[in-house]
Every structure is written in structure tokens, then in C-alpha cells.
């Protein structure tokens, strides 16, 4: 009797299971420029798999036009929600208007956009890039006694992290007139870019360089390699500060090869999907929510290593 009931219950539940379609989410990722980005893509993919979400993942290979094309294709496919990590800040309004007309909510992650119409996206989830740049500058001022000549390795031109980290750092230096940026170039957030630009800086400015400020760890690690190849000791002959706190950089700080890295946590897959679920259920979500980030230097890097997740 009991087994007959179980059989009947199973048979009734079956059509419901078949009817419950998985959530379909399109994610327009920037590319794979850095270890941070790889960790971010992994977090989005792994969490989608865990929750049974059908994730349509698009790698734009660093080109905004590819991202816009991916968003249009998500709209045509009628996905439930679109997630974008915008490569650059400008140029998003037309495609976001198309998504709005199709009634597909857009969630911006990682990077913000510049728009006069904030109704074009449901919300933003990521880090406060301005705060990261300020933390890097404050650390530098404290540990150099407010004196030194700096070269800056910028991220992708026009991207929110490059714009905000540059501005925050420059704003903070206004209180420290003896900390001066003598050159600033983009290494595109890539390790090879950081190395190439640092080689050019060393050729041009030689021993006039005392400090390197890199907008991310990959460029800082590339610069460290260029400094070693020039016969100098990164972290000792030249102070290096950067942003992201990927495990490799935290280890380099513990080893004394880099001096400080400000965290920018990429592991927001769970938060993004929780937010998508709330939006689709008609709940109100905060328009902008920022991760809380820490800073690692010689005082805490070694202790942080065993629990570093990315
Ligand atoms: O937008 C976040 C930045 O993009 C990270 O700092 C960098 O590593 C990445 O490529």
C-alpha cells in the first residue's frame, strides 16, 4: 500500500519537475585579461551550475562591440536576466534601452557605467574602485613618509576601475606634494602589458623611479619581472603597490617582492544570482551594493595566505 502511494506521488510530481524550467541568464564578461577575471568567471560559472541555472557565458575578448553583440543575442534568445561586466563606462544606453523594451532586467557587476538614465539597469554589484585607489595612496603616504617619485600602470582606458583608481590616487596625493607621479601609461590590466610598460619606464626614467602604482596585481607582477630583469629588487629597490589581492600577489607581498595589495573581491557569483532571484520575484533590491575590501602588506599577508580563495 505504502509503495503504491509513493509510486502515485512520484508520477504526479514528474510533470511538475518537467515543467520547472531552469533560469536562463546571459552573462557578458569582459574577457580573460587577468587572474582576477578568471576567478570572477569561475565564481559565476560554478555558482550557476550549483543552482541549476542555465548560464549563457560570453567572453568579449576585451572589445565592447563584442559585449554589445552578446547582449543583443541574449535579448533575442529571451533570457530571464542579463548580467554585464562593462569593459568601458560609456556607450551602453542604446543596447540597455533594447533590453528594457524587452522587459529583461540588466544587472551590472564589477564595473559601473556612465549614463544619465539609471532606470536602464536594475542594480550594480561590485567593489568601490575609488575607495581602493584611496587606500593604496594612504598606505603609500604612511610607508614612505609622504616622499617619492611614482610611475603609474593604468588599467584598460575608459574602464571604471582605471578611471576611479587613477582619480582617487591623484586626489589623495594632493595632500602629499612630495609624492609625485612622473609617468603614467596603460598596461591594459594584463601581465604582459605591465611588464612592457615598466621596461619602457625604466629605459626612460632609470633610477628616478622609486615607486610603482599598478591598477591591478597582474600588471604589478609583470612590472616586478621587468625590474628584476633590469638587475633591481622589486619590493626593496622600488616600492610596489597594487590592487586585487589575488593569491599570487598576496604571496609576493609575504615574500617581500610586492609591498601592498588592496583587495578587490571577484567572488560575487552567489550575490549576483541571489539578486537576480529577488528581482524576478518582484522584490526591491539596493540600486548599488559594494563589497567590503581589505588591504594586505608585510604585517598581514603571510597570515592571510592559507585562507585566500582566489
Ligand atoms: O574590474 C576589475 C578589474 O578588472 C580588476 O582589478 C582587474 O584585475 C580586472 O581585469
Amino acid at each position: 500500500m505504502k509503495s503504491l502511494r509513493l509510486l502515485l506521488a512520484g508520477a504526479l510530481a514528474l510533470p511538475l519537475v518537467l515543467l520547472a524550467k531552469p533560469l536562463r541568464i546571459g552573462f557578458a564578461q569582459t574577457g580573460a585579461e587577468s587572474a582576477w577575471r578568471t576567478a570572477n568567471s569561475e565564481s559565476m560559472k560554478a555558482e550557476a551550475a550549483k543552482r541549476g541555472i542555465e548560464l549563457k557565458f560570453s567572453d568579449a575578448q576585451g572589445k565592447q562591440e563584442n559585449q554589445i553583440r552578446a547582449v543583443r543575442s541574449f535579448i533575442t534568445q529571451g533570457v530571464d536576466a542579463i548580467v554585464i561586466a562593462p569593459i568601458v563606462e560609456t556607450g551602453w544606453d542604446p543596447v540597455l534601452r533594447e533590453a528594457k523594451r524587452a522587459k529583461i532586467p540588466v544587472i551590472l557587476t564589477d564595473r559601473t557605467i556612465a549614463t544619465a538614465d539609471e532606470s536602464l539597469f536594475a542594480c550594480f554589484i561590485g567593489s568601490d574602485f575609488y575607495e581602493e585607489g584611496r587606500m593604496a595612496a594612504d598606505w603609500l603616504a604612511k610607508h614612505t613618509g609622504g616622499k617619492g617619485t611614482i610611475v603609474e600602470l593604468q588599467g584598460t582606458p575608459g574602464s571604471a576601475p582605471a578611471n576611479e583608481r587613477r582619480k582617487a590616487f591623484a586626489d589623495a596625493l594632493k595632500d602629499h606634494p612630495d609624492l609625485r607621479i612622473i609617468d603614467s601609461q596603460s598596461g591594459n590590466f594584463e601581465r604582459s602589458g605591465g611588464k612592457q610598460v615598466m621596461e619602457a619606464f625604466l629605459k626612460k626614467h632609470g633610477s628616478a623611479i622609486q615607486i610603482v602604482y599598478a591598477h591591478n596585481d597582474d600588471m604589478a607582477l609583470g612590472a616586478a619581472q621587468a625590474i628584476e630583469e633590469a638587475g633591481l629588487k622589486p619590493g626593496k629597490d622600488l616600492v610596489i603597490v597594487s590592487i586585487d589581492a589575488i593569491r599570487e600577489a598576496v604571496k609576493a607581498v609575504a615574500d617581500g617582492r610586492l609591498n601592498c595589495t588592496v583587495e578587490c573581491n571577484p567572488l560575487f557569483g552567489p550575490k549576483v544570482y541571489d539578486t537576480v532571484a529577488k528581482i524576478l520575484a518582484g522584490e526591491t533590491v539596493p540600486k548599488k551594493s559594494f563589497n567590503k575590501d581589505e588591504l594586505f602588506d608585510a604585517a598581514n599577508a603571510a597570515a592571510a595566505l592559507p585562507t585566500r580563495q582566489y
Side-chain angles (χ1 to χ4, degrees):
M1 189 60 187
K2 195 175 167 208
S3 58
L4 183 67
R5 252 186 280 136
L6 280 177
L7 206 70
L8 279 173
L12 286 173
L14 197 63
L16 287 179
V17 171
L18 291 178
L19 282 177
K21 283 207 211 116
L23 216 56
R24 294 162 75 229
I25 299 180
F27 177 32
Q29 178 61 293
T30 60
E33 70 277 6
S34 62
W36 185 99
R37 188 63 55 194
T38 306
N40 178 246
S41 294
E42 259 316 297
S43 168
M44 292 290 289
K45 287 179 186 171
E47 193 61 26
K50 207 162 117 189
R51 296 180 186 217
I53 292 171
E54 188 184 323
L55 183 70
K56 296 173 181 302
F57 181 91
S58 163
D59 175 338
Q61 302 186 337
K63 294 201 174 80
Q64 186 186 29
E65 61 265 32
N66 290 346
Q67 272 194 311
I68 291 176
R69 203 172 307 125
V71 173
R72 289 215 166 99
S73 142
F74 297 150
I75 297 172
T76 310
Q77 293 173 62
V79 296
D80 298 299
I82 296 173
V83 180
I84 312 175
I87 294 171
V88 290
E89 289 194 276
T90 54
W92 289 100
D93 283 21
V95 75
L96 293 186
R97 261 186 241 117
E98 291 168 36
K100 192 176 176 184
R101 272 199 296 273
K103 298 194 171 31
I104 302 175
V106 171
I107 292 89
L108 302 180
T109 64
D110 166 29
R111 300 181 179 181
T112 46
I113 60 167
T115 178
D117 181 2
E118 297 218 328
S119 78
L120 292 177
F121 63 93
C123 64
F124 165 79
I125 298 167
S127 286
D128 184 340
F129 297 136
Y130 189 90
E131 176 63 10
E132 291 167 353
R134 196 194 54 77
M135 282 165 81
D138 287 352
W139 183 93
L140 198 60
K142 193 167 160 206
H143 289 80
T144 57
K147 273 197 174 80
T149 44
I150 307 165
V151 290
E152 179 182 40
L153 294 165
Q154 295 178 41
T156 303
S159 69
N163 291 344
E164 295 291 299
R165 289 169 185 171
R166 179 164 164 71
K167 183 168 186 326
F169 194 81
D171 285 351
L173 291 200
K174 286 179 192 151
D175 294 332
H176 306 282
D178 293 330
L179 271 175
R180 283 186 312 111
I181 298 179
I182 57 167
D183 216 335
S184 180
Q185 295 288 325
S186 172
N188 215 25
F189 283 131
E190 291 167 357
R191 197 167 297 214
S192 57
K195 182 167 186 276
Q196 272 167 29
V197 175
M198 193 64 213
E199 282 165 357
F201 282 160
L202 285 165
K203 224 176 247 163
K204 188 167 160 197
H205 304 286
S207 59
I209 307 170
Q210 295 170 324
I211 298 158
V212 179
Y213 168 47
H215 288 188
N216 82 344
D217 286 342
D218 275 81
M219 292 191 296
L221 290 163
Q225 206 184 325
I227 291 166
E228 277 158 355
E229 286 173 14
L232 297 162
K233 283 202 168 61
K236 294 186 180 61
D237 296 325
L238 278 88
V239 172
I240 307 180
V241 288
S242 74
I243 297 171
D244 275 357
I246 58 170
R247 190 185 294 109
E248 193 183 346
V250 177
K251 166 103 176 55
V253 172
D255 294 344
R257 194 165 170 252
L258 301 184
N259 302 87
C260 157
T261 178
V262 177
E263 187 177 39
C264 177
N265 195 321
L267 309 178
F268 35 75
K271 194 166 171 183
V272 168
Y273 299 128
D274 284 349
T275 307
V276 169
K278 284 184 186 159
I279 292 169
L280 294 176
E283 288 177 38
T284 309
V285 297
K287 191 73 186 181
K288 290 181 187 171
S289 71
F290 296 99
N291 306 327
K292 175 114 193 57
D293 293 321
E294 301 178 50
L295 178 149
F296 299 97
D297 64 7
N300 61 353
L305 269 176
T307 52
R308 233 33 230 143
Q309 284 181 284
Y310 67 96

